[in-house]
């Protein structure tokens, strides 16, 4: 039974969840908030939703680009290079982004008679992104349940696993990760050196999966 809305960015994690739970997902919901890479990732979200026969909605959140402070909203040159573990990657946090998206997704769910909102955060997100941490997910889920007639829940089904674990699941489902987008710089190709590119490359390597992504940088890992 289709009972869920999935926040789907077009990246590895949400596309994997889209395929893994396709029998439950009624709506794939993407957000255009003016980031460097929205124009690159949203078409992948749309393509995969169409491929699976899942309704796809794009919500414009232009106010975030105009009023929020984040290197993710300031152009590709503002994006730091390096590993996600580095402190400089904190500049890519968009304040309370997931809270805003989850609130809208909850409204979409209730308006369409659905019971759950899915998000594809994973264990590696917790250090850098406060609104990906388990305590945030639990608190927000309590708020959605209390604030809706149907008691809508938030399901963050990858919270306890790694990106490599997700990659293994997606590989088993037949997903070509070359048809997803990660790079925060949002160029013609993945840069290969920003935090999301490094994380992507490490996850696929750890999972033993051939990386079909085209990178600007050499194929050797830049931050080993």
């Amino acid at each position: 039974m289709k009972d869920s809305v999935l926040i789907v960015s077009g990246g590895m994690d949400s596309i994997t969840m889209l395929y893994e739970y396709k029998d439950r997902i009624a709506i794939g919901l993407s957000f255009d908030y003016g980031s460097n890479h929205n124009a690159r990732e949203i078409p992948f979200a749309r393509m995969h939703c169409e491929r699976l026969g899942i309704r796809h909605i794009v919500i414009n959140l232009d106010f975030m680009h105009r009023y929020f402070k984040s290197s993710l909203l300031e152009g590709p040159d503002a994006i730091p290079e390096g590993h996600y573990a580095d402190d400089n990657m904190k500049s890519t946090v968009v304040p309370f982004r997931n809270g805003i998206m989850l609130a809208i997704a909850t409204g979409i769910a209730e308006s369409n008679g659905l019971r759950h909102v899915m998000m594809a955060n994973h264990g590696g997100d917790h250090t850098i992104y406060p609104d990906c941490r388990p305590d945030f997910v639990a608190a927000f889920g309590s708020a959605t349940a209390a604030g809706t007639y149907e008691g809508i829940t938030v399901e963050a089904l990858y919270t306890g696993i790694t990106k490599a674990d997700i990659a293994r699941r997606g590989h088993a489902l037949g997903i070509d990760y070359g048809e997803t987008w990660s790079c925060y710089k949002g160029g013609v190709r993945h840069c290969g050196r920003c935090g999301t590119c490094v994380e992507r490359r490490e996850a696929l390597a750890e999972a033993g999966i051939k990386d079909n992504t085209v990178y600007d940088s050499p194929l050797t890992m830049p931050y080993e």
Side-chain angles (χ1 to χ4, degrees):
M1 181 179 177
K2 302 271 188 176
D3 61 3
S4 301
V5 172
L6 170 65
I7 297 175
V8 56
S9 68
M12 288 178 60
D13 311 322
S14 63
I15 294 301
T16 302
M17 188 170 283
L18 183 75
Y19 277 83
E20 185 169 6
Y21 296 97
K22 64 182 185 297
D23 294 336
R24 288 186 54 191
I25 297 166
I27 297 172
L29 186 60
S30 300
F31 294 93
D32 186 350
Y33 54 96
S35 74
N36 304 320
H37 63 305
N38 275 162
R40 302 292 296 165
E41 64 180 0
I42 290 176
F44 283 118
R46 180 181 301 111
M47 180 189 75
H48 287 289
C49 284
E50 290 177 351
R51 188 175 289 175
L52 295 174
I54 294 171
R55 181 184 177 193
H56 183 240
I57 298 172
V58 180
I59 301 291
N60 190 305
L61 299 178
D62 179 65
F63 71 90
M64 295 174 72
H65 179 261
R66 288 185 286 133
Y67 299 117
F68 286 21
K69 177 69 175 177
S70 169
S71 63
L72 204 59
L73 307 175
E74 297 173 0
D77 292 341
I79 299 297
E81 295 182 352
H83 198 278
Y84 253 137
D86 297 343
D87 283 343
N88 65 355
M89 292 307 295
K90 290 180 180 178
S91 75
T92 65
V93 172
V94 179
F96 209 62
R97 175 183 61 179
N98 283 348
I100 294 165
M101 293 178 178
L102 285 168
I104 294 170
T106 300
I108 294 287
E110 188 164 39
S111 297
N112 286 273
L114 304 172
R115 298 296 302 274
H116 311 285
V117 173
M118 294 182 176
M119 62 182 295
N121 62 304
H122 62 82
D125 291 330
H126 302 165
T127 300
I128 186 170
Y129 296 118
D131 56 0
C132 286
R133 294 171 184 164
D135 55 349
F136 167 81
V137 174
F140 209 96
S142 295
T144 62
T148 54
Y149 282 117
E150 297 300 325
I152 291 171
T153 65
V154 174
E155 297 194 0
L157 302 169
Y158 292 165
T159 298
I161 64 175
T162 68
K163 199 176 190 76
D165 293 328
I166 294 170
R168 292 185 188 98
R169 291 189 184 193
H171 184 65
L173 292 166
I175 297 172
D176 176 5
Y177 285 119
E179 295 183 331
T180 64
W181 188 267
S182 297
C183 182
Y184 274 172
K185 295 194 176 187
V188 175
R189 295 174 295 276
H190 283 72
C191 73
R193 300 182 67 83
C194 70
T196 46
C197 281
V198 173
E199 181 192 46
R200 176 190 185 96
R201 296 170 75 164
E202 287 183 342
L204 291 170
E206 182 181 339
I209 298 169
K210 181 182 178 182
D211 190 351
N212 294 322
T213 311
V214 178
Y215 297 102
D216 281 333
S217 69
L219 293 180
T220 54
M221 290 297 295
Y223 292 96
E224 292 179 325

